[in-house]
Amino acid sequence: MKKTDIILLSGLMASILFTNFFDFGKTLYSIENEVLRMHILANSDSEEDQSLKLCVRDRLLENSDELFGECETLEQMKECAEEKKEEISAIALDVIHEKGYNYTVDTEVVNMEFDNREYGDITMPAGNYDALRVTIGEAQGKNWWCVMYPPLCLPAAENVVADDKKADEYFDEKQMDVMQNPEKYQVKFKCLEWFSTVKKEVLDWF
């Protein structure tokens, strides 16, 4: 094979790989930007504080129709969450006081980093997601989270389950494949993680 052929072939392979990783990155980005998560942090990791966190979770989910029942889109959900932060805090405080605690509550809509998290039969990939964040007291305990939009948080009789069967109504085929079969994409995840680390280090250096 001629040297020019090797160069052309190498360039073609590099182009294919770049396109492949670029498409994968776009899919991850689209997942991050089509989701609103709920994130509740307990005061501490004590058994009592963790139990309180779940009581707050249950009450908020019980009131979800009243709070967000008229929201049909992601943007409407975000706007509603912003507008009803005080109401959400008040609901959480009611539970806290009922249980005999005097912790404060802070509610905000933030964009924050999440690790890979399994949710029912799907895995939400690591990334920066918008989230309705409810912090209790010192917020030093383990957190609980779910997906508010698409509406996958389902309160069950004694627990909260993920309505992942509903996910394919909101996510396309590529997105669902990444979330249902994350093991297929381990190499791509690692490559993107490496790229993000290098990019951050370069930006910090400048």
Side-chain angles (χ1 to χ4, degrees):
M1 184 179 290
K2 295 180 181 179
K3 186 176 181 179
T4 53
D5 292 337
I6 294 175
I7 293 173
L8 289 172
L9 181 59
S10 299
L12 178 61
M13 291 176 64
S15 177
I16 292 172
L17 285 172
F18 177 80
T19 301
N20 194 278
F21 280 110
F22 180 74
D23 287 343
F24 179 67
K26 281 178 60 179
T27 298
L28 293 185
Y29 183 78
S30 67
I31 293 172
E32 291 177 25
N33 287 274
E34 293 176 17
V35 167
L36 178 66
R37 298 164 78 148
M38 178 183 284
H39 188 235
I40 304 176
L41 281 86
N43 178 69
S44 75
D45 281 335
S46 73
E47 184 177 343
E48 294 81 6
D49 284 344
Q50 286 297 310
S51 177
L52 179 64
K53 174 192 69 178
L54 298 181
C55 290
V56 169
R57 171 202 70 183
D58 292 343
R59 185 70 60 84
L60 289 176
L61 291 180
E62 286 171 10
N63 286 271
S64 60
D65 283 344
E66 181 181 337
L67 291 167
F68 306 107
E70 296 182 2
C71 301
E72 297 181 354
T73 67
L74 175 62
E75 288 308 314
Q76 289 175 350
M77 185 73 83
K78 289 180 184 178
E79 290 174 7
C80 194
E82 282 283 2
E83 292 170 359
K84 297 189 176 183
K85 288 187 295 186
E86 290 186 9
E87 186 175 347
I88 293 166
S89 290
I91 291 171
L93 281 170
D94 282 344
V95 177
I96 291 168
H97 294 158
E98 286 172 9
K99 298 297 181 180
Y101 298 90
N102 61 354
Y103 298 140
T104 58
V105 170
D106 186 34
T107 301
E108 55 187 340
V109 178
V110 299
N111 185 271
M112 58 182 291
E113 188 174 352
F114 285 87
D115 296 328
N116 284 340
R117 299 287 185 91
E118 291 185 5
Y119 190 56
D121 292 332
I122 64 177
T123 297
M124 299 300 295
N128 292 302
Y129 292 82
D130 288 328
L132 174 63
R133 191 168 186 260
V134 181
T135 56
I136 302 171
E138 297 297 323
Q140 297 298 311
K142 293 184 178 68
N143 68 79
W144 176 88
W145 71 277
C146 74
V147 179
M148 289 182 62
Y149 189 92
L152 305 184
C153 297
L154 280 185
E158 297 180 354
N159 204 341
V160 174
V161 297
D163 188 12
D164 39 74
K165 294 179 181 178
K166 198 173 183 179
D168 58 7
E169 297 178 15
Y170 294 87
F171 297 107
D172 64 30
E173 188 175 340
K174 286 184 178 179
Q175 293 169 327
M176 288 300 297
D177 192 44
V178 169
M179 292 189 291
Q180 290 180 323
N181 305 289
E183 67 281 351
K184 288 171 48 178
Y185 300 93
Q186 289 304 311
V187 173
K188 292 181 179 180
F189 277 123
K190 287 295 183 184
C191 288
L192 285 178
E193 182 182 339
W194 173 84
F195 177 77
S196 297
T197 300
V198 171
K199 180 180 177 182
K200 184 178 185 304
E201 289 178 353
V202 170
L203 291 175
D204 288 344
W205 186 77
F206 281 104

